[in-house]
Amino acid sequence: MKTSTKRTLLAAAISSASLLTAMPSYAEGEFTANASATSNYIWRGLTQTTNEAAVQGGIDYAHESGFYAGTWASNVNYGAGDVYSYEHDMYFGFAGESDGIAYDFGYLYYNYDDEANFDFAELYGSVGMGGFSLTVYLLAHTEADEPETMDFGFAQASYTSLDYSTEILNGTELGFHVGYHEGDFAEAFNGVEGYLDYGVSIAKDGFSFAITGTDLDDMGGDDEFDNDAVKFTVAYSVDFEL
């Protein structure tokens, strides 16, 4: 999951190591692009690349009214022989601030290889004050087949995160995160039951370093994901005016 407009929101999930316009205006809005490279694509505490590197990028549109929309893509890898090779996200929402309270609400669609048949979408909402933010994501719908013992219905899977960020040392940003992912669809997609993830990150001038972990038990054997272990990720990102 990407972070930008979506980065405002999904950075809360530490989707990667980063926990944080030259084109003429279009309807009083602006377009920007972003690109990044990370040593490990971490989403909600779990590796999306079997602990290998990822190259990512996207384009965003933001209107002065608070409306925004964008698209973002990354390579993914869930193990030898799987059919996943990319993640392509599309999203739109509305963000703003009132009386010192920031808010962000929207819709996010996750698109994967056709053979995977596991595209899904979430509705999200975030509120923040000072350096704190609380974000909730709810499953909206999915193309995945629903097993008889599972419920992939609306809001039957969720991710809740609490984050805090502050500026230190001349523009360096320090961030803290804790989140919880649960529900039948989350279990089917992630291959693990409900779990807690946490992280701390530091970022400046496009460079970032993150330490993330989960409360998952050791899977034992030849576990190429190693999601029970603490992970260290470095990344570099850059934004472009279009």
Side-chain angles (χ1 to χ4, degrees), residues 1 43-44 46 48 78 84 87 89 108-112 116-123 137-159 180-195:
M1 282 357 65
W43 177 65
R44 301 179 180 176
L46 308 180
Q48 305 298 292
Y78 299 120
Y84 293 85
E87 173 191 331
D89 301 342
L108 169 60
Y109 186 85
Y110 304 82
N111 174 44
Y112 299 93
N117 194 38
F118 233 97
D119 289 5
F120 67 99
E122 293 178 324
L123 298 179
Y137 306 81
L138 298 175
L139 176 68
H141 56 86
T142 178
E143 68 173 5
D145 295 329
E146 181 182 85
E148 292 184 3
T149 58
M150 289 186 165
D151 186 352
F152 289 177
F154 177 77
Q156 294 303 306
S158 66
Y159 182 74
Y180 188 72
H181 206 184
E182 63 179 342
D184 286 345
F185 180 80
E187 180 179 346
F189 183 78
N190 296 319
V192 295
E193 296 182 0
Y195 68 94

Side-chain angles (χ1 to χ4, degrees), residues 34-89:
N34 60 84
S36 64
T38 177
S39 62
N40 193 354
Y41 175 14
I42 302 294
W43 177 65
R44 301 179 180 176
L46 308 180
T47 179
Q48 305 298 292
T49 50
T50 57
N51 299 304
E52 299 295 335
V55 177
Q56 307 165 332
I59 297 176
D60 293 292
Y61 169 77
H63 189 270
E64 63 179 9
S65 66
F67 172 80
Y68 63 85
T71 184
W72 180 86
S74 174
N75 59 288
V76 298
N77 179 7
Y78 299 120
D82 76 21
V83 297
Y84 293 85
S85 64
Y86 69 85
E87 173 191 331
H88 173 221
D89 301 342

Side-chain angles (χ1 to χ4, degrees), residues 21 25-26 29 36 48 69 73 76-77 81 94-95 101 117 127 153 166 175 208 220 242:
T21 318
S25 63
Y26 175 76
S36 64
Q48 305 298 292
V76 298
N77 179 7
F94 191 86
I101 299 177
N117 194 38
V127 293
T166 186
S208 61
L242 298 179

